């Protein structure tokens, strides 16, 4: 698939199943990620790749986060939260490890990691791998960051779910880029 086709036909795939990316495909995803724009060459991106039982450890972290917010969560709610870690054969957690006090502000460092995640999504699409980018309140939770090996200054940017699309993939919406253009105010 050529680059422009990958860029203009990529869609998020919510339903994913086995098989997940192969080791070779994973290396391609990561190679694409680290070519993202990065002001100051800080290389703020850090990736945790979870497969198999490692996803169960993420499920434990997600359930514990739920219970800190809602200690009385019923078993169905707890199982639903745990299921988020298991909805794809591979999960890549992308984190911006922030360099404080640098001329490049933290928000630019986070954007660099966002660009790295987008590169992975385009690479996944080009390789026929389904991908879904998720975050939510868990991405800002200080205890979750600590359990993942980071500090509160760092920012979880994505839980990137990867696998084989299960069922039909939603079509690319027909849109015109001109819809989003604005004129410089006078």
């Amino acid at each position: 698939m050529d680059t422009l086709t990958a860029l203009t036909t990529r869609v998020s795939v919510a339903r994913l199943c086995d098989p997940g990316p192969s080791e070779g495909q994973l290396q391609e995803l990561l190679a694409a990620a680290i070519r993202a724009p990065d002001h100051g060459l800080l290389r703020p991106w850090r990736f945790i790749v979870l497969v198999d039982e490692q996803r169960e450890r993420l499920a434990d972290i997600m359930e514990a986060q739920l219970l800190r917010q809602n200690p009385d969560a019923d078993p169905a709610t707890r199982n639903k939260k745990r299921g988020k870690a298991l909805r794809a054969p591979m999960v890549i957690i992308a984190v911006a490890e922030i360099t404080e006090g640098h001329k490049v502000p933290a928000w630019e460092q986070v954007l660099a990691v966002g660009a790295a995640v987008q590169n992975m999504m385009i690479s996944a699409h080009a390789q026929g791998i389904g991908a879904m980018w998720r975050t939510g309140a868990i991405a800002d939770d200080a205890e979750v960051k600590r359990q993942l090996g980071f500090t509160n200054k760092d920012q979880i940017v994505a839980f990137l779910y990867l696998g084989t699309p299960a069922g039909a993939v939603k079509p690319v919406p027909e849109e015109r880029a001109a819809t989003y253009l604005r004129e410089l105010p006078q």
Side-chain angles (χ1 to χ4, degrees):
M1 179 180 303
D2 69 89
T3 305
L4 287 176
T5 300
L7 286 166
T8 58
T9 62
R10 188 214 64 80
V11 294
S12 296
V13 181
R15 295 183 58 231
L16 300 163
C17 62
D18 285 320
S22 68
E23 183 60 31
Q25 289 172 317
L26 172 61
Q27 293 310 312
E28 291 289 330
L29 295 172
L30 295 171
I34 65 171
R35 296 299 299 161
D38 173 24
H39 184 195
L41 299 176
L42 294 176
R43 305 299 191 242
W45 38 73
R46 301 294 180 268
F47 306 105
I48 301 172
V49 179
L50 305 174
V51 295
D52 303 324
E53 69 279 348
Q54 295 166 330
R55 295 173 307 137
E56 288 287 346
R57 288 182 52 210
L58 177 59
D60 293 342
I61 291 169
M62 288 179 159
E63 182 180 17
Q65 188 258 349
L66 167 69
L67 291 173
R68 280 193 305 280
Q69 291 180 336
N70 180 6
D72 299 323
D74 61 72
T77 303
R78 291 172 70 168
N79 285 335
K80 182 177 179 182
K81 187 72 161 186
R82 290 186 65 78
K84 291 180 178 193
L86 308 173
R87 60 178 154 203
M90 179 181 285
V91 182
I92 299 177
I93 306 171
V95 181
E97 193 170 67
I98 303 299
T99 300
E100 293 183 305
H102 195 276
K103 70 176 185 175
V104 176
W107 67 266
E108 281 193 50
Q109 295 174 52
V110 172
L111 285 178
V113 178
V117 173
Q118 176 66 2
N119 281 3
M120 285 193 285
M121 292 190 75
I122 297 298
S123 176
H125 178 60
Q127 295 180 71
I129 301 165
M132 176 62 79
W133 180 343
R134 301 277 187 172
T135 52
I138 193 168
D140 291 321
D141 188 283
E143 179 60 18
V144 169
K145 292 176 190 181
R146 188 194 67 72
Q147 289 177 314
L148 295 174
F150 296 93
T151 65
N152 200 38
K153 71 172 174 55
D154 302 320
Q155 181 60 57
I156 298 170
V157 175
F159 292 90
L160 184 59
Y161 294 90
L162 299 156
T164 300
V169 175
K170 68 180 179 184
V172 178
E174 291 295 325
E175 293 188 286
R176 293 176 8 95
T179 304
Y180 305 101
L181 293 176
R182 298 289 186 266
E183 295 290 327
L184 185 63
Q186 297 298 321

